[in-house]
Amino acid sequence: MSRLVKIVSRSIIIMCSVMVFLHSGSYRRVLDPLMSISINGQIMSLTGGLNRPEPQFLDWNGDGILDCFINDRDGRLQYWEGQVDWQFGDRPIFTLVTKFFQGLLVGIWFNFNDFDNDGDHDLLSHTPGTDNVSYYENVNGTLYLVNSQLHTPSGFPVYGGQIVIPTVADIDADGHLDYFVGDISGRLAYYAGQGNVDTGPQFEFVSDYFENIQIIWTPGRHGANSISFYDLDNDSDLDLIWGDFYQPGLFYLENYGDNNEPHFVDSLMVADFPGLGMLETAGFNIPIITDFEPDGTGDLVVGVLSGNYGTDFIHNLIYYNNIGTDAEYDFQLVTMDLLPGLDLIGGSRPVLADLDGDNDHDLVVGTEFNPDNSLSGGQVYYFENTTNDDIPEFVLSDSTFIDDFITTNLAPSFYDLDNDGDLDAIIGEFNGYLLHYANTDTGWTYNGHYMNLDLSGKTVPAWGDVDQDNDDDLVIGTKDGNVSVYINNGDINTSVLAAQLDIGDDASPAILADGSIIVGNEIGELILLRYEDTDTLVVQDTLEYPYCGQNLAPCPISSSGLEQKDLVIGSKAGGLQYLEYSTLAIQEENKNNPAYFNISAIYPNPNNGYCNIDLDISKTGFYKISIYDLQGRLVRIIHHGTLNGGHYTFTLRENIPSGIYFINAQTNDVSFVKKMIRLK
């Protein structure tokens, strides 16, 4: 049995489709849609924001430019491809490729390195829900799980931790990567690398008190939570940089030994690294030193995981360019936001409403926190539509729109409750109320709790005609997952609870033009509901879609003539994403497929560009066999014409890029799809 077959036989890789199925249509993620959102004249990409990014930089695609991988503390890897069109000394440019790289779940931490010395990037990661370490081997660009619990040669589990972020480095220059993991006492555990075997890299435990280093700022507090090694002074040995759970800055220890025998003196610790005073953040900083230019000097990127000093942070990745020499570093701050995109800090919930009365829809976004003060309430942002609804351009007009909130998790909605011709504000919030703000000549006037509703928490209101009787109803999602429908029987302010359904924690509903309800929840699902005459809510579908994060908050938007089918998605990370509706629906392994045709085999799969596709047909008809990429785009047409009943083999010799593709066999309105993996 070949090495690849053995690996595949004991591995399950969950591949993530990027298609959403809704009324015979589908969705794809669009980073730069026809609509635009700008702040202070800068157009913001709709990449969804970042919560607590843990980064690593490496050249994954082999183009000589560093790419970026992010674990946003959700266990899923984001892959950002590095671009060539940036000037050295400026901010490197990255483009989001996927937020769920190869369908991998890596737990709390991850580390790419060439563990088997074959010239590519393998993966070491936390095993979710445990203190174990997993190993994924890179086989022609695809990562296969080989071992979910690494052991030392003597048989003890290698400790992975669930708070700390381990690292690997060849500390003794013996050609084998060593493994380091901190603990709550501030000590570093050291496992010496012993090479690689079939089950993964071998690390032998040496000491839980490496070099007698006590990485801790105050006794009794967390110590070496995140660790990085790099030769900052170009003396051929590795120096140590770390971030502490409780401290806002970074710390540095120079290696006074050599590349064979390291030696650290913790009394010589530098507490204001990278200089010019201690870096002020929410704590638990991750230092990553990488030579972007490359010019022989390591540059610094700091991820902020927010330890003792809060649960959010303003900036995603802090980037310092090293303008010093290869022997003496000099870090200069370039940007507090290395990765582009709109990021409103946390718990973004968008809604569209014509607030200025100019017959187009403006954009309002509520957030979980105030970015200037995480201990205060949330914030509501008002983006004015300066063009029209066909190609909207949303410009930030007011970042303190309806100010002075003392509660969090704000979910704005708008409706003319008093029939005076302008829209009033009804805002859901953390405690379970709907806050009513009347639109008056003097501004927004607080009128207490709307309808005296007191629900479970994190209320999210939406307005629309769910029973299709030509008047608007009220739908409310809550923290406990309930979606409640209040039917308008003549007076919207006395609507009666008519139906309720639990769809998963933190339900966030929106109402489509046909009255159906699309709801996001805590685990990142989009669920389509329908209110029926029997006063019940029925689940129409749980939608599969490009991974958009957690605590999803959908907002229907009219675009390109599609009646409220495109979606703007808010999420826990605090940004926005755009899902574009398409009439092309690709559904893998269609269970409703008639028995008269079938893709019986694709082999080899994975392949290197050459493969056979077997098609069995029992009924003569017109058939089209095509290849689509993950974005639903047509790549190749393999066959287009009439086929008689029988067995057919189509040979694919196409030079297409590596990646995941779908082979689609279609006749009339029925299609059958199987996945194909193209390796390098």
Side-chain angles (χ1 to χ4, degrees), residues 596-618:
Y596 55 78
F597 80 99
N598 178 43
I599 301 175
S600 55
I602 300 175
Y603 57 96
N605 192 22
N607 60 75
N608 290 303
Y610 175 93
C611 72
N612 294 311
I613 302 165
D614 286 358
L615 185 68
D616 293 317
I617 298 175
S618 60

Side-chain angles (χ1 to χ4, degrees), residues 212-228:
N212 295 318
I213 297 171
Q214 194 83 7
I215 301 176
I216 202 161
W217 191 246
T218 301
R221 291 187 168 183
H222 292 266
N225 293 94
S226 60
I227 315 157
S228 181

Side-chain angles (χ1 to χ4, degrees), residues 288-342:
I288 302 293
I289 298 186
T290 302
D291 191 2
F292 283 102
E293 278 75 6
D295 59 359
T297 62
D299 307 301
L300 172 65
V301 176
V302 183
V304 184
L305 296 188
S306 303
N308 187 54
Y309 290 95
T311 57
D312 68 298
F313 63 98
I314 298 174
H315 307 289
N316 55 51
L317 292 174
I318 306 169
Y319 172 57
Y320 295 85
N321 181 39
N322 189 352
I323 64 172
T325 67
D326 56 2
E328 185 175 356
Y329 62 83
D330 184 4
F331 292 103
Q332 299 294 314
L333 178 65
V334 176
T335 179
M336 301 291 284
D337 299 285
L338 177 61
L339 298 182
L342 178 70

Side-chain angles (χ1 to χ4, degrees), residues 5 22 35 51 71 101 139 155-156 180 201 227 254 281 384 459 484 493 557 564 569 571 573 642 649 653 656:
V5 173
L22 176 64
M35 61 170 279
N51 260 342
N71 179 3
F101 181 71
V139 182
F156 294 98
F180 296 85
I227 315 157
E254 182 180 347
T281 70
E384 181 185 355
T459 47
S484 302
N493 297 307
I557 185 169
Q564 286 191 331
I569 303 287
S571 69
T642 300
T649 298
R653 295 185 177 91
I656 60 177

Side-chain angles (χ1 to χ4, degrees), residues 56 210 301 400 586:
Q56 189 178 354
F210 175 69
V301 176
T400 58
I586 300 177

Side-chain angles (χ1 to χ4, degrees), residues 127-206:
T127 305
T130 73
D131 289 329
N132 300 329
V133 178
S134 291
Y135 172 64
Y136 296 80
E137 182 174 346
N138 187 335
V139 182
N140 296 321
T142 301
L143 294 165
Y144 294 97
L145 178 64
V146 176
N147 194 342
S148 62
Q149 187 176 20
L150 288 186
H151 288 81
T152 68
S154 53
F156 294 98
V158 177
Y159 176 69
Q162 299 190 51
I163 298 177
V164 298
I165 299 174
T167 193
V168 294
D170 188 4
I171 195 68
D172 52 8
D174 65 351
H176 300 307
L177 290 168
D178 308 300
Y179 177 84
F180 296 85
V181 59
D183 65 19
I184 194 172
S185 72
R187 299 178 177 183
L188 283 181
Y190 167 42
Y191 295 74
Q194 306 291 305
N196 208 62
V197 296
D198 281 350
T199 56
Q202 294 280 283
F203 302 113
E204 184 60 85
F205 177 76
V206 177

Side-chain angles (χ1 to χ4, degrees), residues 553-592:
C555 173
I557 185 169
S558 299
S559 177
S560 305
L562 300 173
E563 188 181 30
Q564 286 191 331
K565 289 186 177 180
D566 289 6
L567 296 175
V568 174
I569 303 287
S571 69
K572 181 179 180 180
L576 297 178
Q577 296 168 83
Y578 194 96
L579 297 186
E580 183 180 80
Y581 182 80
S582 172
T583 56
L584 172 66
I586 300 177
Q587 185 166 355
E588 189 177 11
E589 308 287 1
N590 189 346
K591 296 180 181 178
N592 297 318

